[in-house]
Amino acid sequence: MKILKVQALRGPNIWSVQRKKLIQMRLDLEEMEQFPTNKIEGFRERIEAMFPSMIDHRCSEGVRGGFFMRVERGTWMGHVIEHIALEIQTLAGMETGFGRTRETKTPGIYNVVFSYTEENVGMFAAESSVAIAEALIAGTPYDLDADIQKMREIRERVRLGPSTGSIVEEAVARDIPWIRLGTNSLVQLGYGVNQMRFQATITQKTSSIAVDIACNKEETKRMLDNASIPVASGSICVDEEDLEACVKKIGYPIVIKPLDGNHGKGASINVTTWEDAQAGLEYAKKYSRRVIVEKFITGFDFRVLIIDNKLVAAAKRVPAHVIGNGTDTIQKLIETTNLDPRRGYGHENVLTQIDVDRDTLDLLEKLNYTVDSIPKNGETVYLKSTANLSTGGTSVDVTDMMHPENVFLCERISRVIGLDICGVDIMAENLTQPLKENGGCILEVNAAPGFRMHLAPSEGLPRNVASPVIDMLYPPGKPSRIPIIAVTGTNGKTTTTRLLAHIVKNNGFKVGFTTSDGIYIQNHMLEKGDTTGPISAEYILKDPTVEFAVLETARGGILRSGLGFSRCDIAVITNIQEDHLGLSDIHTLEDLARVKSTVVRSVKKDGWAILNAEDEQCVKIGEELSCNVAYFSMDEENPLIKRLCKEGKIVCVYENGFITVKKGEWKIRIERATHVPLTLGGKAKFMIANALAATLAGYLWGFKTEDISLSLQTFIPSAAQTPGRMNIFEFKRFKVMIDFAHNPSGYRGVEDFLSTVEASKKIGIIAGVGDRRDEDIKECAKIAGRMFDHIIIRQEKHLRGRSEEEIINLILEGISEAGRNVTHEIITKEVEAIKHAINSAEEGTFITALSDVVTNAIEIVQEYLDKESEQGLV
């Protein structure tokens, strides 16, 4: 078997709009296409022995053990690999269960699709599942445990930490979208102007100066002491001389820790001798040049969490330890403790496995123990000097036990330091008494405190501490999303997108939009190129100035990665016509419609899908949608339009020369088409259709009809505003039009417009695209043969696997099928072809350049027009 391609889908996609995180693997079964599982001796027994937990895979049978039933009867290896990929992720601690396997039009080649929780793990699972299947087929041994451990390691390297992850999960539960900014824990919640950012438990509301104070333990102690808050006595040391002076002042036992440390790194606790103090100083200086030395306070270690100046949780932290049984060594006790199912690798479980490190060995040495020592029965042996969960410690929730005075004290500390999310470390016998009575004190104040000990304590009540974070970032009434209108279709989507963005901008919104020629915010081009995929959509949604997004969404991006947004308010399909067929398993109009429908299937339930009533595929899609659906049509007498009007529905039609919204039988005439510059005096029918789609979208969003009318009148088509969309350049003796038409439907639109153009001669400059079907290349050429008197064939780009000669021959075949006496010539380079057409143009000639690189064509024609203007001024 051979993996041809593996890709990660990250948004709504052709397989599912709900399950956004999918791996799609294109797999060639090769000779295994002839061997379903029932023809492979012993396969059922081997896969069941390797994966006994697959008994829970119900598969299409719908019963426990259903998948094994399918294996017994015979199923193809692509289906088996799908189930293996899901199961090994589950065994690695990432439970997931959605999968699909479909054969492509090419026999033996399958698309194997399965869900993932971490993308990098999913990509690994794709390759691993094929290797496992091959081992099962051959009956050879396979180290499954190594793959599972590898997946765990990948997950720990790339996953969000427990604190960040909990905030994201709470946001998702509240339907707040999120975007991971980079590969660390920096996350954006919400879209556009309504976004809020956070990293770990630092939010954009967190005061920078408060973080600086909290990170400076000396400054923190001083401020707390000045506010009459009990703190441990001590001072700052940089060398042994300072250390000796401090020890003489406060006496043993002491605590030595880095001034700028966190998570207990570099700390030495309960130091009682000068030798240990020297070693502790050296250890702490590995993490910070300056070291803080404090009196060691006896008692228990507590962490109190304050969010938005309100106490939300408190936990008693216990350092990693083992309890002796009189027979086992400390090493054996550690191994036994690590067998606790609550303990895992890194942050995968509630507790972390205990590792033996320098801190462990130092503590054991003070007890005259080694890891091979056998402690007494019932003896507690502490293995870490700090109680951090990340080093194997445990936590006990004590939130409900806190004395009101201690609650007041901790909330006051958060205000004194100025932190919105604040962790207060306390050493005391208990928190049920005021600290001033039991002698407890504040050890530290932490910016970016960890949430794990509160989310899943070893004992006591778990606390959803992420909830108050979201409450703080998004108080009641604050939106997290911005309006999104997505536009797709075969032809007209760029023009419709630009017109919609113009309507939105004229209504006072700061609009960001993506098109096939660039990314724009408030009409400023920020990125040039074809920007109709998910990365470009995300670019707009990440911009903090954008209030409204209009996103052109093309076929290619949907197939590569899915949509770049979780859902939209309105989606438009302009039309679905022959284009890109034969590529990426899209062979028919039905296949193409399935891709385009992803956009309208992502519309929120009370949103609107806007569809072309004259397009058969659009009508079929509309019948299956769960959101509101509205249609537009160039024909008021269209049967579907007439039926919808009788039902009192909203539609948009072209009637009696007007762009009109109909509500039932009532007509709201928005504007006369001849007053809309985009339609070229009402002659460009397909531009009228684009205006209908944009008008209907604007109307359903709630814009006033007079504002839509004004926008239609002020949207001026030009090489700058609508590059490559019917751009007409008027020379003194002739005219040149540049258009992006590149498929039969686009060519027919140009043909319809040219039928209204009076010219002494119509010259066309055309080319073919190598990865299109033969019939599409020939059909375009045939239409060209009908609408032009003379054709210049150029073919320097987009050969895509074909020879130049092959494409030109197809074009010539198509021209001959037009049945007209059309002259032609071949000038392969586009620049030379355009120059030749202009230089040889006669009085009254109309030149049409159907260009796939419109920027180049526009620049050439504009250069000639500028020269003519300059000569006229001389």
Side-chain angles (χ1 to χ4, degrees):
M1 294 181 288
K2 183 179 180 182
I3 297 174
L4 302 178
K5 185 179 182 182
V6 183
Q7 61 195 99
L9 306 177
R10 305 178 186 93
N13 54 74
I14 61 172
W15 303 101
S16 174
V17 292
Q18 285 81 35
R19 297 173 178 88
K20 303 172 180 64
K21 298 166 70 172
L22 299 177
I23 296 295
Q24 179 176 314
M25 173 169 55
R26 190 174 175 85
L27 181 68
D28 186 350
L29 294 190
E30 297 180 322
E31 69 276 5
M32 292 312 300
E33 172 67 3
Q34 309 305 319
F35 293 92
T37 51
N38 62 332
K39 291 186 178 181
I40 304 171
E41 187 177 347
F43 186 85
R44 157 74 191 266
E45 290 75 19
R46 289 195 292 274
I47 192 170
E48 193 166 359
M50 182 179 277
F51 297 107
S53 52
M54 271 193 183
I55 191 73
D56 292 322
H57 288 218
R58 303 170 74 88
C59 204
S60 57
E61 302 296 310
V63 297
R64 191 168 187 266
F67 173 65
F68 288 142
M69 294 178 192
R70 291 286 305 277
V71 172
E72 184 72 29
R73 288 203 308 268
T75 188
W76 269 260
M77 205 49 61
H79 181 212
V80 173
I81 287 167
E82 168 205 323
H83 279 267
I84 292 174
L86 291 170
E87 184 63 16
I88 59 178
Q89 289 183 87
T90 299
L91 292 174
M94 291 157 279
E95 190 163 347
T96 186
F98 176 84
R100 292 285 185 273
T101 299
R102 298 289 182 268
E103 187 173 16
T104 68
K105 291 286 195 301
T106 307
I109 295 181
Y110 291 75
N111 281 319
V112 179
V113 178
F114 57 89
S115 53
Y116 64 86
T117 56
E118 292 293 341
E119 182 179 316
N120 292 25
V121 174
M123 299 291 272
F124 179 87
E127 296 189 6
S128 174
S129 59
V130 174
I132 292 169
E134 289 176 330
L136 288 169
I137 292 166
T140 55
Y142 192 89
D143 191 348
L144 180 62
D145 290 339
D147 278 7
I148 290 172
Q149 180 59 27
K150 179 68 174 176
M151 286 190 283
R152 286 173 172 167
E153 290 171 3
I154 294 171
R155 177 195 55 193
E156 289 307 305
R157 190 170 67 245
V158 301
R159 77 189 299 191
L160 295 172
S163 301
T164 308
S166 69
I167 297 172
V168 167
E169 287 173 13
E170 180 65 22
V172 170
R174 301 191 191 193
D175 197 31
I176 296 172
W178 67 284
I179 300 171
R180 189 172 185 174
L181 304 175
T183 57
N184 55 21
S185 294
L186 181 60
V187 171
Q188 172 185 314
L189 299 179
Y191 290 152
V193 73
N194 291 323
Q195 68 180 263
M196 299 295 290
R197 296 176 189 160
F198 72 96
Q199 184 164 21
T201 56
I202 296 282
T203 77
Q204 68 182 63
K205 287 179 171 287
T206 303
S207 162
S208 175
I209 194 169
V211 173
D212 280 347
I213 292 170
C215 289
N216 186 327
K217 293 178 173 57
E218 182 181 24
E219 183 66 19
T220 300
K221 282 182 63 176
R222 187 188 62 78
M223 291 184 68
L224 296 181
D225 191 35
N226 290 344
S228 302
I229 295 167
V231 293
S233 57
S235 61
I236 304 299
C237 299
V238 295
D239 53 30
E240 290 189 7
E241 186 179 341
D242 292 340
L243 177 64
E244 186 178 11
C246 185
V247 169
K248 286 181 179 178
K249 180 179 177 183
I250 63 176
Y252 293 112
I254 59 173
V255 175
I256 303 173
K257 54 190 175 182
L259 182 63
D260 304 320
N262 55 32
H263 300 297
K265 292 176 182 175
S268 299
I269 310 297
N270 196 16
V271 176
T272 57
T273 68
W274 175 246
E275 290 75 19
D276 288 344
Q278 289 174 306
L281 176 66
E282 185 178 343
Y283 182 42
K285 291 193 73 172
K286 291 180 180 179
Y287 298 89
S288 174
R289 189 180 67 83
R290 303 172 75 202
V291 173
I292 191 165
V293 179
E294 294 176 337
K295 185 72 174 177
F296 175 66
I297 308 296
T298 57
F300 296 102
D301 185 349
F302 295 95
R303 164 63 64 82
V304 178
L305 181 64
I306 303 97
I307 297 175
D308 202 19
N309 304 129
K310 296 180 180 64
L311 188 143
V312 297
K316 176 183 175 183
R317 301 190 295 180
V318 182
H321 64 278
V322 292
I323 299 175
N325 57 16
T327 57
D328 290 335
T329 66
I330 291 173
Q331 182 64 51
K332 177 65 175 175
L333 292 169
I334 292 173
E335 292 170 1
T336 303
T337 301
N338 283 339
L339 292 176
D340 184 339
R342 295 178 300 168
R343 291 191 182 272
Y345 181 81
H347 291 146
E348 71 178 355
N349 283 344
V350 174
L351 301 174
T352 300
Q353 292 182 349
I354 301 171
D355 294 323
V356 175
D357 58 11
R358 174 195 176 280
D359 189 28
T360 307
L361 298 176
D362 286 350
L363 286 173
L364 293 178
E365 186 180 350
K366 290 177 181 178
L367 299 171
N368 292 320
Y369 279 167
T370 68
V371 290
D372 296 320
S373 302
I374 299 175
K376 298 174 185 176
N377 186 35
E379 180 185 357
T380 299
V381 179
Y382 288 101
L383 303 169
K384 304 292 177 184
S385 57
T386 60
N388 298 76
L389 266 66
S390 57
T391 58
T394 56
S395 66
V396 179
D397 180 74
V398 295
T399 307
D400 297 330
M401 300 178 180
M402 283 194 69
H403 192 280
E405 190 167 318
N406 290 336
V407 173
F408 168 77
L409 179 74
C410 291
E411 291 180 346
R412 183 163 170 260
I413 288 171
S414 73
R415 292 183 182 275
V416 169
I417 302 302
L419 287 169
D420 60 336
I421 300 178
C422 177
V424 178
D425 290 345
I426 299 174
M427 183 64 73
E429 287 299 322
N430 58 66
L431 294 182
T432 57
Q433 295 176 282
L435 296 189
K436 63 183 180 184
E437 293 182 11
N438 64 19
C441 69
I442 309 302
L443 298 180
E444 285 183 14
V445 178
N446 297 274
F451 285 0
R452 187 176 171 205
M453 70 186 76
H454 308 295
L455 294 166
S458 314
E459 298 177 35
L461 192 66
R463 305 285 171 171
N464 182 9
V465 293
S467 181
V469 176
I470 300 297
D471 290 340
M472 175 179 68
L473 298 178
Y474 287 100
K478 178 178 171 59
S480 61
R481 298 176 182 267
I482 60 173
I484 297 175
I485 299 179
V487 182
T488 193
T490 302
N491 295 312
K493 53 187 179 291
T494 297
T495 301
T496 304
T497 297
R498 284 180 168 276
L499 178 54
L500 268 168
H502 183 70
I503 294 170
V504 171
K505 183 174 181 290
N506 283 355
N507 277 272
F509 288 93
K510 289 185 175 67
V511 62
F513 60 99
T514 60
T515 70
S516 57
D517 51 79
I519 298 174
Y520 296 80
I521 294 178
Q522 285 296 86
N523 284 348
H524 295 279
M525 179 187 276
L526 301 181
E527 292 287 337
K528 188 176 182 179
D530 187 347
T531 58
T532 55
I535 293 174
S536 304
E538 198 172 88
Y539 183 107
I540 292 293
L541 300 176
K542 288 194 293 191
D543 191 285
T545 67
V546 173
E547 299 172 339
F548 203 120
V550 183
L551 306 173
E552 180 180 346
T553 308
R555 168 205 62 90
I558 298 172
L559 290 172
R560 278 194 307 275
S561 305
L563 300 179
F565 48 87
S566 55
R567 69 162 184 255
C568 58
D569 299 87
I570 295 175
V572 179
I573 300 182
T574 56
N575 47 66
I576 298 173
Q577 301 294 324
E578 298 91 345
D579 197 14
H580 300 285
L581 298 183
L583 303 174
S584 303
D585 297 325
I586 307 302
H587 298 280
T588 65
L589 273 181
E590 287 73 20
D591 293 338
L592 186 59
R594 186 166 69 98
V595 178
K596 302 287 188 184
S597 71
T598 303
V599 180
V600 289
R601 287 189 292 118
S602 73
V603 175
K604 64 181 185 178
K605 199 164 186 64
D606 59 346
W608 287 90
I610 295 174
L611 305 173
N612 188 336
E614 296 163 38
D615 190 294
E616 181 183 350
Q617 298 300 329
C618 283
V619 174
K620 287 180 181 177
I621 290 170
E623 293 169 352
E624 300 172 354
L625 296 177
S626 58
C627 64
N628 299 309
V629 181
Y631 289 90
F632 65 92
S633 175
M634 290 290 290
D635 180 12
E636 187 183 9
E637 297 302 311
N638 177 288
L640 176 59
I641 293 293
K642 290 178 71 174
R643 176 170 65 80
L644 292 172
C645 288
K646 284 182 181 178
E647 295 173 1
K649 302 293 177 60
I650 298 174
V651 298
C652 191
V653 296
Y654 178 56
E655 55 85 28
N656 294 316
F658 283 91
I659 293 168
T660 300
V661 172
K662 292 187 71 175
K663 296 178 71 174
E665 296 301 328
W666 292 96
K667 293 183 178 180
I668 306 170
R669 286 180 168 170
I670 305 298
E671 190 52 68
R672 188 180 289 275
T674 53
H675 294 172
V676 179
L678 182 64
T679 69
L680 302 180
K683 296 177 182 178
K685 295 293 189 289
F686 58 92
M687 287 298 190
I688 296 176
N690 294 336
L692 291 175
T695 296
L696 186 54
Y699 181 82
L700 291 172
W701 174 255
F703 295 137
K704 295 179 181 177
T705 55
E706 54 267 35
D707 291 334
I708 298 173
S709 172
L710 180 63
S711 297
L712 293 175
Q713 294 177 65
T714 56
F715 186 74
I716 311 298
S718 65
Q721 180 82 289
T722 53
R725 275 72 186 175
M726 307 292 282
N727 302 146
I728 297 177
F729 300 83
E730 298 198 16
F731 290 77
K732 291 176 181 177
R733 298 171 52 251
F734 58 89
K735 295 179 181 178
V736 178
M737 182 176 80
I738 297 173
D739 194 79
F740 189 58
H742 57 281
N743 54 51
S745 177
Y747 269 59
R748 282 190 283 270
V750 173
E751 181 185 25
D752 182 61
F753 170 71
L754 288 180
S755 69
T756 68
V757 173
E758 292 186 10
S760 60
K761 187 177 185 180
K762 296 176 183 176
I763 297 176
I765 303 171
I766 68 170
V769 180
D771 59 2
R772 300 305 195 268
R773 300 178 305 174
D774 289 3
E775 55 263 45
D776 294 331
I777 296 173
K778 288 164 66 176
E779 180 64 18
C780 287
K782 182 179 177 180
I783 298 166
R786 293 200 304 254
M787 63 179 164
F788 298 126
D789 303 311
H790 179 71
I791 295 175
I792 300 173
I793 302 170
R794 54 98 189 162
Q795 195 63 54
E796 63 177 313
K797 297 184 177 70
H798 304 304
L799 300 179
R800 297 175 184 173
R802 294 185 192 251
S803 69
E804 182 180 303
E805 182 182 6
E806 182 185 0
I807 298 174
I808 290 174
N809 285 337
L810 288 170
I811 292 172
L812 292 174
E813 280 184 51
I815 293 172
S816 66
E817 291 177 8
R820 291 180 66 231
N821 186 22
V822 180
T823 58
H824 73 270
E825 57 188 313
I826 299 170
I827 303 175
T828 55
K829 294 189 180 297
E830 182 181 42
V831 172
E832 298 304 320
I834 294 173
K835 287 181 177 179
H836 173 71
I838 291 175
N839 291 332
S840 60
E842 302 167 359
E843 183 79 35
T845 298
F846 195 97
I847 302 168
T848 302
L850 300 179
S851 175
D852 44 15
V853 188
V854 294
T855 308
N856 295 353
I858 289 169
E859 288 174 355
I860 296 163
V861 176
Q862 190 65 56
E863 184 181 328
Y864 269 86
L865 193 61
D866 292 343
K867 285 181 181 177
E868 183 178 87
S869 299
E870 290 169 6
Q871 290 169 1
L873 293 173
V874 176

